[in-house]
Amino acid sequence: MSAISRSSLVSPRSETDGRSAFSEQEHRLNKAFISLVAACAFALPLQASAQDPVQATADHAQLLSSPDPKLAANKRLVYDFWREVLEAGHLELADKYLVDSYIQHNPTVPSGREGFVKFFSRFSKVKPIAASIKAPLVTIMAEGDLVMLGFVREYPDPAAAGQKYTTTWFDMFRIRDGKIVEHWDPARK
């Protein structure tokens, strides 16, 4: 078998003058193929950015259930805290749910139960306590001493004026002895 250079397989050369042995038609096809590949490469990120909207879950009872009674109790604690204190504005119930030394990782809310109450009292309005969380709840997950609530969030689409897109927001809580001791969320200053 004769030795064939790798470059001759990719771009055959004429034995006499070193010019490409591809025909004009092959050059056009090559150029069209490269253009198609480039177009696909640019289109893939656009396709990947398309999304299915995030959907809330209607059956909160199912989200609250767990075969582990401790996890079910932790889910219920966080769920009721959200309904009674955050949504209904009953800040007088904060001591039922939060330890005094509550740790807050949201950069706009101070740590401590007193700091929490002072912060939310600036804009919370007392309302009747609803039987279920009103915010569009996607999931409640519990593992060990952690409980995470996931919510639908809707924002203006910066790429399409007048349009909106959905994403997921989360709030995660650490529970100890039946009270919330710590909170995380993705809030920014």
Side-chain angles (χ1 to χ4, degrees), residues 2 4 12 39 50 63 92 99 104-105 144-145 147 182 189:
S2 64
I4 300 174
L63 296 178
E92 76 279 5
V99 297
Q104 176 61 261
H105 296 287
D145 62 352
V147 175
E182 197 166 5
K189 283 186 178 185

Side-chain angles (χ1 to χ4, degrees), residues 13 24 31 35 37 40 76 82 94 96 106 111-112 141 159:
R13 304 269 178 212
E24 187 65 32
K31 194 173 184 180
S35 296
V37 168
C40 289
R76 175 52 74 177
W82 197 274
K96 175 180 171 184
N106 178 312
S111 284
M141 298 185 331

Side-chain angles (χ1 to χ4, degrees), residues 104-123:
Q104 176 61 261
H105 296 287
N106 178 312
T108 64
V109 182
S111 284
R113 184 174 59 223
E114 185 179 321
F116 173 91
V117 169
K118 186 175 181 180
F119 177 84
F120 282 99
S121 66
R122 296 185 306 184
F123 51 84

Side-chain angles (χ1 to χ4, degrees), residues 138-155:
V138 175
T139 191
I140 305 172
M141 298 185 331
E143 180 68 33
D145 62 352
L146 298 173
V147 175
M148 197 264 318
L149 302 177
F151 296 98
V152 176
R153 280 286 169 106
E154 187 177 78
Y155 294 104

